[in-house]
Amino acid sequence: MDQRPHADVPGMTLPSPRTPDPTTGPRLRWGLLGAGWIASQMAFSLSGTTQEVVAVGSRDGERARAFVAEHAPGARAHADYPSLVADPDVDVVYVASPHSEHLEHALLAIAAGKHVLVEKPMAPTADEARQIVAAAREAGVFCMEAMWTRFLPHVDVLRQVLDLGLLGEVSTVLADHGIRLWPDGPRRLSDPALAGGAMLDLGIYPLSFASLTLGGLERTTGLGDVTDLGVDRRFAFVAQGPSGAVASLSTDMSASTPTTASVNGTWARLELETKFYMPTTMRLVGADGVVLDTMTGDPIEQHRGLRHEAVEVALRVAAGETESPVMPLDETVTILAVMDELLGSLRR
C-alpha cells in the first residue's frame, strides 16, 4: 500500500483557517428567544462583534429584564415570545428554548418573517425539523441549526485537509462525548417531556462530526441504556458513510469521557484533543506516528465560539441566501432521522 512520505513533502502541513473575522462583516440585529444559559453564552459571544443583541424574550418578564441587565445592556426585554418575534428592530431570532419547544418557537419566528438560528438539535425529531425547514423555505427566510462546531476555525482546517486528500482514503472516524450531567444535572436532561437524554444534548456532536467527515451517513446501529424516567443515559453506536468508511461513536450523560475525536486515513490522521467540538488542539499525524503539524486552540475562542455561527448567518443573509452550505438543512434533518432510529431501537 502506498504510504506517502511526510515531513519532506510540501503540503503535508495544516492549512490556515478561512474563518471570517467575527469582528467585521455585515450587521444583524438579534432577538434572543429564551433567557437561559445558552442564550447568555450567545450574548457574551456576540459582544465585540458587528452583531447586536437588541431584544430578549422570556415568558417571565422579570427574568427577561434581569437577563438584559446582566448580559445585554441596552436591549429591549419582552415578557412573552410573540412580542419578541414581532419586534420591528429584530432581524433574526435565536431560538434558545428547551429542545421540546423548538418547533413551536421556530415556527412563531418564521411566521413573523424573521430569520432563525435554532439551537441544536433543531428539534427532538426529524419530523419536527422537517416542519421547521418547510416553513422557512415557504417563507423565504434564512434558517439554520446552531451546530456551532461546524463554523470553528479548526473544523474549517479539517474540511480543507479532507478536501485536499492529505489523509489519503478516510477509513475510520472515532468520537465520543460524555459529561456527568445525570442524575444531578439540569432537569431538562432527565425529563422526557423536555426531550431529555444524552443523544440529543451530547451525542449529536459525535454524530454530526461523523456525518461531516464521512461525507454523510448511510447506515447506523447501536446499543444503549435508559434512565428510570425512560430517557437515554448512554449510547454506543457505529455509522457508515457512502465510501464504506466507518465511525465508532459514543455518548454518556452519567460519566465524563475523553471527548476526543480522530479522522484516520491511509496516509495520515487528524487527532482532536478533549472537547473536540470546541476550539482545541488538533494534530496531523503520519502513518508512521510522526506528528507533522499542530494547530492549537485559541483560549478566547473557547468562550466566544458561538460568534462564528452568528457571523455565518449574517453573511448568508447579506448575500440573500436562505441556508448555509456549511450546515445544510437537509443534513440537519438526516442527522435527526438517524437519531430517531437509534433512540427508537432502545424502545423495541
Side-chain angles (χ1 to χ4, degrees):
M1 180 180 295
D2 177 26
Q3 283 197 348
R4 177 182 291 190
H6 300 311
D8 58 342
V9 175
M12 287 304 286
T13 57
L14 295 172
S16 299
R18 302 163 299 186
T19 313
D21 181 353
T23 64
T24 63
R27 171 179 175 261
L28 281 182
R29 299 170 299 175
W30 291 76
L32 307 184
L33 193 156
W37 179 81
I38 193 62
S40 72
Q41 296 304 295
M42 178 60 82
F44 177 70
S45 292
L46 295 187
S47 62
T49 74
T50 53
Q51 308 307 303
E52 182 182 3
V53 177
V54 298
V56 178
S58 172
R59 289 196 177 104
D60 181 337
E62 183 55 40
R63 186 178 188 190
R65 288 187 288 273
F67 184 101
V68 165
E70 182 176 359
H71 302 292
R76 185 178 297 111
H78 291 278
D80 58 69
Y81 298 140
S83 62
L84 171 75
V85 302
D87 191 321
D89 291 333
V90 170
D91 300 314
V92 56
V93 172
Y94 172 52
V95 177
S97 51
H99 307 333
S100 55
E101 299 179 40
H102 285 182
L103 174 63
E104 176 187 350
H105 295 153
L107 293 182
L108 185 70
I110 292 167
K114 307 298 186 183
H115 305 296
V116 286
L117 176 66
V118 187
E119 182 52 38
K120 59 83 194 161
M122 177 173 279
T125 67
D127 180 65
E128 291 192 7
R130 289 187 192 100
Q131 293 180 58
I132 295 171
V133 170
R137 286 174 171 167
E138 183 177 357
V141 298
F142 181 90
C143 180
M144 188 178 82
E145 179 183 49
M147 176 47 72
W148 67 298
T149 303
R150 291 286 180 104
F151 305 94
L152 296 175
H154 75 293
V155 175
D156 177 69
V157 171
L158 181 153
R159 283 179 179 273
Q160 293 183 68
V161 167
L162 294 176
D163 290 344
L164 292 168
L166 295 185
L167 304 184
E169 178 189 350
V170 172
S171 182
T172 58
V173 173
L174 308 173
D176 74 283
H177 191 4
I179 304 176
R180 183 172 167 77
L181 296 171
W182 177 88
D184 302 319
R187 173 173 165 264
R188 66 178 181 83
L189 293 177
S190 302
D191 191 342
L194 296 177
M199 182 67 81
L200 288 170
D201 204 67
L202 306 177
I204 189 172
Y205 284 109
L207 192 59
S208 182
F209 184 81
S211 179
L212 169 65
T213 52
L214 293 178
L217 302 171
E218 292 201 343
R219 298 173 59 194
T220 56
T221 188
L223 294 170
D225 186 28
V226 298
T227 70
D228 55 343
L229 294 179
V231 300
D232 57 299
R233 168 185 175 180
R234 53 197 167 202
F235 219 108
F237 46 109
V238 293
Q240 188 168 41
S243 72
V246 296
S248 178
L249 314 165
S250 67
T251 187
D252 193 336
M253 69 176 186
S254 63
S256 295
T257 68
T259 310
T260 57
S262 65
V263 185
N264 308 284
T266 52
W267 288 341
R269 68 179 180 268
L270 281 175
E271 298 178 346
L272 285 71
E273 289 191 356
T274 190
K275 294 184 179 177
F276 73 89
Y277 59 95
M278 297 176 64
T280 189
T281 296
M282 183 170 68
R283 289 182 292 273
L284 178 65
V285 183
D288 52 7
V290 174
V291 177
L292 306 174
D293 202 2
T294 300
M295 178 180 180
T296 303
D298 184 346
I300 294 177
E301 292 289 3
Q302 291 184 356
H303 301 286
R304 294 186 182 272
L306 299 185
R307 62 186 182 169
H308 291 288
E309 64 184 1
V311 170
E312 173 73 1
V313 176
L315 289 169
R316 299 296 170 187
V317 168
E321 300 174 30
T322 55
E323 64 179 284
S324 167
V326 182
M327 189 66 251
L329 293 174
D330 289 343
E331 186 182 1
T332 287
V333 172
T334 296
I335 291 171
L336 279 165
V338 169
M339 288 198 287
D340 285 350
E341 182 179 347
L342 289 168
L343 291 172
S345 71
L346 288 180
R347 306 183 186 103
R348 291 198 288 267

